[in-house]
Amino acid sequence: MDKPTLEIQLQTLPNQPGVYQYYDAEGTIIYVGKAKNLKKRVGSYFTKTHDNGKTRVLVKKIATIKHIVVDTETDALLLENNLIKKYQPKYNVMLKDDKSYPWICIKNERFPRVFSTRRIFKDGSDYFGPYTSMKTVHTLLDLIKGLYPLRNCNYDLSESKIEAGKYKVCLEYHLGNCKGPCEGFETEEAYSKNIKDIKEILKGNFKDSLSQFKTQMKRLAEDMRFEEAQKIKEKIEILENYQAKSTIVNPKISNVDVFSIMSDESYGYVNFLQLSYGSIIRSHTLEIKKKLDETDVELLELAITEIRQRFHSTSKEIYVPFKVELGEGIKVTVPQLGDKKHILDLSLRNAKYYRMERFKQDKIVDPDRHTNRIMAQMKADLRLHEEPRHIECFDNSNIQGTNPVAACVVFRNGKPSKKDYRHFNIKTVVGPDDFASMEEVVYRRYKRMLDEEQSLPQLIIIDGGKGQLSSALKSLDALELRGKIAIIGIAKRLEELFYPNDPIPLYLDKKSETLKVIQQLRNEAHRFGIEHHRNKRSKSALNTELETIPGIGEKTIVDLLKHFKSAKRVANAKLDELEPVVGVSRAEKIYNYYHTK
C-alpha cells in the first residue's frame, strides 16, 4: 500500500490513550508526546494557531506521524519518558536527563526495609512501580508504616549479630514504629508475614487496608478531629485512584523483542515492541502482502527475521503468540499469563489498530478498493460462487399474531440501498405463523422481480433458523430459483449461519467484517419491519370506539391502550383506575361516556 498523506493519517488516528511520534521528511524523529486521546491531541497541532514560534516550525516539519496505543494515560506518560530518553528528539525539552520515575523497593535482606528509590539494582530485591507521582509513593509508604511496624535502620541483622547483642533498640522502638528485631524482640517469621501483606498492597490488593483507613477516618471525625480526618480522606482517594501495574516499565522483563500478528485474506500486520531493561523503547508495525495463502506462522517467521535485521536487534529472547522456528541462539517464549502476557497483548492491540487505520485510509483514498476487498472476503467466508454485490434480507414482525408484516432490506456493494427497501403486509396467513409468512413474502418478492425482469440478488439472508430457511426455500423451488440464488439463514442466539441441506451451521469469527455486514443487514431488516408494524398497529388501535368520545384525542388514546392493553379494559375501568393515566378531567369524560351509555 502507498504511504498515506498527513491529512489521511490525522483522520484515521484512534480515540485512545497513547504516545505519538513526529518524523521529518528525512525520517528523523523530531518530537514525542503523550495523549489521553490521540486523535484529538495530534489534531490540535494542525487546527490551532500557535503563538509559540517553535511549535509553528515543528508543525511545518512534520512529514509522518507514528503512534503507540496503550491502556491508560499513566502508561502513556511512562512510555513518553522512555522514548524521549532513548531518542532525544530535537523539539522535546523535558525528560532528556537521566532522572527516572520513583519505585518502592523491598530490599533483599533479613528483615527487609521498605523505601522509595529512583535506581534499580539487580540484587534480588523486589521493585514496585514505577509511579508517576511522588505523592502516591509517600501515601503508600505512610499507609504501610501506619499498618505494619518496620525497621528503617541500615543494620545488618544477621542471626549471629543479633544473638551476640551487637545492637540496641533506638527511639523508633520506643515510639512504637518498630518492634525491635535488632534485639530479637520480633521473630523473622512475624516480620516476613508483614512483608508478604505489604507486597499484596503494592500489587493493588489493598481492600483490607482501605477498610482500616476508612475506620480510622470515621473515628477521627467522631472525635471532632476534622483536619486529621480530611488528610486520611485524601489518602483514601489517592489510593482508590492508584493503579499499581504498569505494562510500560517492568524491571523483571529485561532485553526482549515482542512480536504479534493480525491478518486477513490479503495482508499480515506484524507489530514489534522492543524492550530494553524493562522499558519499551520502540514500536513498529510491518505490513506484509500475501503472495499465496501463507499461514500466520509463516508470515510471523518471515517478519521477525526482517524486523530484527532492520533494527539491528541482538536480543536473545522473543515473546510471540505461538511457537515459531528461528534457529538456535534465540529463546522463543509463548506467554500465557502475567506481565509477559500483558506486554504481548499490548503488541497485538497495536497491530489491530494499525490494520484498522489502513482500512480507514483505503476507504478515504480508494473506496472502490475497500468495497472490492469486503466483497472478496464475503465470497470466501460464505463459500459463494460469486461476490454478493446485491444482498436482500427478510424479517417477520408480529406481536401475538396481530398485524403481521414483513420487511425486505437491500444492500448494494456492502451498503444500505434504502430506496430499494420494501414492506409486506401478510395476506394469506392467519395468526402468528412465521414460517408461512416467510414463504409468502419471499414468493411475492421474487415473483414480482421475475415478472418485471429485475436483476436478482446474489445472496438472500433469512432472519431465523432452519424453519424459516426451509420456508423460504419452498418459494424459491416454486419459482424455479433454487441454485440460482445463494440463500442462508442467521439464528440470533449464537449468530449461526444455516445453509440449505446442511445440518451443521457455520460460525464466523465474531470480529470478521463478513459477520458485521450480515449483522447490519439483519438489524436493519428488524428495525425497518418493527417501524412498519408499529405504524400499522397504532392505526388499527386508534380505530376504536375511543375515537368517538368527545374531548379525547389521539395521544390520550395511545396512553390508555399502552396502560390497559385493550379498548374493552378501558370501558370496564373504574374512575380511580383511569385518573392516574389521563388525569381527573379526561377520566370523568371516559367513565361517563361508557356508564351513561
Side-chain angles (χ1 to χ4, degrees):
M1 293 183 191
D2 296 331
K3 180 183 169 183
T5 64
L6 200 59
E7 186 182 346
I8 292 169
Q9 289 178 55
L10 288 169
Q11 288 181 48
T12 56
L13 284 167
N15 292 300
Q16 297 291 325
V19 171
Y20 54 92
Q21 302 156 74
Y22 294 151
Y23 291 80
D24 61 16
E26 285 75 44
T28 304
I29 189 167
I30 56 175
Y31 188 79
V32 172
K34 66 173 177 62
K36 190 174 183 179
N37 182 311
L38 283 165
K39 188 164 192 168
K40 287 182 181 177
R41 182 71 186 97
V42 175
S44 70
Y45 278 89
F46 298 89
T47 54
K48 288 181 181 177
T49 303
H50 300 283
D51 297 329
N52 188 319
K54 186 178 177 183
T55 307
R56 289 199 299 271
V57 174
L58 165 66
V59 173
K60 284 180 184 176
K61 289 191 175 183
I62 298 169
T64 305
I65 304 165
K66 289 187 179 180
H67 63 271
I68 306 171
V69 176
V70 294
D71 292 325
T72 66
E73 202 176 354
T74 301
D75 279 355
L77 182 63
L78 296 167
L79 181 53
E80 178 194 35
N81 178 35
N82 300 339
L83 296 176
I84 290 173
K85 286 177 182 171
K86 167 74 176 172
Y87 296 109
Q88 303 277 301
K90 181 178 178 180
Y91 290 92
N92 282 102
V93 289
M94 302 287 286
L95 305 175
K96 283 189 179 179
D97 59 15
D98 288 331
K99 181 183 174 185
S100 58
Y101 284 102
W103 300 72
I104 291 178
C105 173
I106 298 180
K107 196 69 177 168
N108 181 25
E109 60 190 357
R110 200 160 179 262
F111 298 100
R113 288 166 289 154
V114 181
F115 56 90
S116 66
T117 181
R118 291 182 185 270
R119 302 180 67 186
I120 294 175
F121 298 97
K122 296 208 167 185
D123 59 357
S125 300
D126 287 318
Y127 292 89
F128 296 86
Y131 301 92
T132 53
S133 166
M134 203 62 203
K135 191 174 181 183
T136 305
V137 173
H138 288 318
T139 302
L140 279 168
L141 289 175
D142 287 348
L143 168 67
I144 289 164
K145 287 172 184 174
L147 295 173
Y148 305 102
L150 299 172
R151 73 171 179 126
N152 58 11
C153 60
N154 295 326
Y155 296 151
D156 172 15
L157 298 185
S158 65
E159 196 171 355
S160 57
K161 288 182 179 179
I162 292 173
E163 286 177 357
K166 190 168 182 179
Y167 309 115
K168 294 293 179 186
V169 292
C170 62
L171 183 62
E172 291 292 311
Y173 171 77
H174 296 292
L175 291 172
N177 296 333
C178 173
K179 289 190 174 180
C182 56
E183 283 198 50
F185 296 154
E186 183 178 23
T187 65
E188 187 177 1
E189 183 183 355
Y191 196 98
S192 297
K193 184 182 182 304
N194 287 348
I195 292 295
K196 184 181 177 184
D197 292 342
I198 289 165
K199 286 181 180 179
E200 287 303 305
I201 289 173
L202 293 173
K203 287 176 184 175
N205 304 331
F206 43 78
K207 186 178 177 183
D208 292 340
S209 307
L210 273 173
S211 176
Q212 290 183 44
F213 250 170
K214 287 174 181 175
T215 303
Q216 188 180 349
M217 180 182 69
K218 286 177 184 176
R219 191 166 60 246
L220 288 168
E222 287 168 1
D223 294 343
M224 313 290 274
R225 294 156 65 185
F226 297 118
E227 287 185 9
E228 293 173 69
Q230 176 61 26
K231 287 178 182 176
I232 298 290
K233 184 184 178 186
E234 288 171 6
K235 289 181 180 183
I236 290 171
E237 287 172 354
I238 290 169
L239 284 170
E240 285 177 337
N241 295 327
Y242 152 72
Q243 184 178 11
K245 270 297 183 192
S246 170
T247 312
I248 303 306
V249 187
N250 192 318
K252 292 181 182 177
I253 299 173
S254 191
N255 301 334
V256 296
D257 292 344
V258 184
F259 295 92
S260 62
I261 184 167
M262 184 80 196
S263 66
D264 52 40
E265 74 284 350
S266 305
Y267 289 89
Y269 304 87
V270 177
N271 178 262
F272 163 55
L273 294 179
Q274 186 175 13
L275 276 76
S276 176
Y277 298 104
S279 299
I280 295 174
I281 60 168
R282 178 178 281 118
S283 174
H284 177 77
T285 302
L286 181 68
E287 187 177 57
I288 308 172
K289 183 168 176 59
K290 293 182 179 179
K291 301 292 183 184
L292 300 169
D293 193 18
E294 292 93 346
T295 64
D296 281 359
V297 174
E298 292 169 330
L299 289 174
L300 191 57
E301 287 175 350
L302 179 70
I304 290 172
T305 306
E306 161 69 23
I307 290 171
R308 282 173 63 88
Q309 284 178 354
R310 183 184 299 185
F311 293 105
H312 309 290
S313 173
T314 56
S315 300
K316 301 295 183 188
E317 184 177 10
I318 67 165
Y319 298 163
V320 284
F322 41 74
K323 281 289 182 186
V324 290
E325 294 294 331
L326 298 172
E328 295 180 5
I330 298 176
K331 182 183 176 184
V332 177
T333 301
V334 182
Q336 300 299 321
L337 44 83
D339 297 338
K340 294 178 181 180
K341 183 67 166 65
H342 290 154
I343 204 77
L344 183 65
D345 290 343
L346 181 66
S347 173
L348 181 61
R349 194 172 173 197
N350 277 276
K352 286 178 179 177
Y353 273 106
Y354 185 90
R355 176 175 176 261
M356 207 183 305
E357 284 153 38
R358 293 303 263 163
F359 286 172
K360 289 177 183 174
Q361 289 161 7
D362 280 353
K363 216 168 183 176
I364 296 166
V365 177
D366 188 355
D368 289 341
R369 179 179 175 179
H370 173 75
T371 300
N372 294 342
R373 183 182 56 75
I374 290 178
M375 289 296 106
Q377 186 170 343
M378 288 191 76
K379 178 186 173 185
D381 289 348
L382 299 175
R383 308 179 303 211
L384 305 175
H385 298 300
E386 56 184 330
E387 292 181 352
R389 295 280 172 173
H390 175 182
I391 310 173
E392 299 193 348
C393 181
F394 292 87
D395 179 43
N396 287 326
S397 291
N398 73 71
I399 295 177
Q400 298 175 345
T402 64
N403 308 302
V405 298
C408 169
V409 300
V410 180
F411 273 35
R412 296 187 187 274
N413 292 320
K415 294 177 183 175
S417 177
K418 294 197 175 183
K419 64 183 176 64
D420 296 319
Y421 286 15
R422 295 291 180 270
H423 283 134
F424 295 88
N425 293 321
I426 305 301
K427 297 177 179 177
T428 62
V429 181
V430 178
D433 188 340
D434 274 358
F435 300 148
S437 298
M438 185 63 72
E439 186 178 344
E440 178 189 326
V441 296
V442 170
Y443 183 87
R444 284 168 56 191
R445 171 67 174 166
Y446 296 112
K447 176 73 166 69
R448 180 164 187 163
M449 290 184 83
L450 289 170
D451 291 343
E452 296 178 0
E453 297 183 354
Q454 297 180 39
S455 60
L456 296 170
Q458 287 87 36
L459 175 64
I460 299 171
I461 296 173
I462 303 299
D463 182 13
K466 293 178 184 177
Q468 282 92 338
L469 181 62
S470 298
S471 300
L473 281 167
K474 290 178 185 176
S475 295
L476 293 188
D477 285 335
L479 296 167
E480 298 182 354
L481 291 175
R482 171 80 81 103
K484 294 178 182 177
I485 308 175
I487 182 168
I488 58 174
I490 178 169
K492 288 185 181 72
R493 193 168 63 88
L494 296 172
E495 307 295 41
E496 303 156 309
L497 298 180
F498 290 97
Y499 286 76
N501 304 321
D502 189 347
I504 301 170
L506 172 69
Y507 295 94
L508 292 176
D509 187 315
K510 292 288 183 281
K511 294 179 181 177
S512 78
E513 287 185 281
T514 298
L515 184 59
K516 284 177 181 173
V517 172
I518 292 173
Q519 286 172 331
Q520 191 184 354
L521 270 154
R522 190 263 314 280
N523 295 342
E524 188 70 352
H526 188 64
R527 178 199 65 78
F528 191 58
I530 286 289
E531 184 182 89
H532 180 51
H533 183 267
R534 281 179 182 153
N535 291 340
K536 192 179 177 191
R537 196 175 70 213
S538 296
K539 286 175 185 174
S540 65
L542 291 171
N543 188 21
T544 66
E545 191 177 2
L546 290 168
E547 286 183 280
T548 64
I549 303 175
I552 300 301
E554 184 176 310
K555 186 179 182 305
T556 305
I557 294 170
V558 170
D559 291 341
L560 286 165
L561 291 173
K562 274 185 182 176
H563 184 82
F564 293 99
K565 309 302 181 190
S566 72
K568 186 178 179 181
R569 287 183 181 176
V570 175
N572 294 330
K574 295 176 183 177
L575 186 62
D576 59 354
E577 291 174 337
L578 292 164
E579 285 178 357
V581 183
V582 295
V584 176
S585 175
R586 291 191 187 93
E588 286 177 355
K589 288 177 184 175
I590 296 163
Y591 184 82
N592 291 337
Y593 174 83
Y594 284 108
H595 289 80
T596 304
K597 189 177 71 167

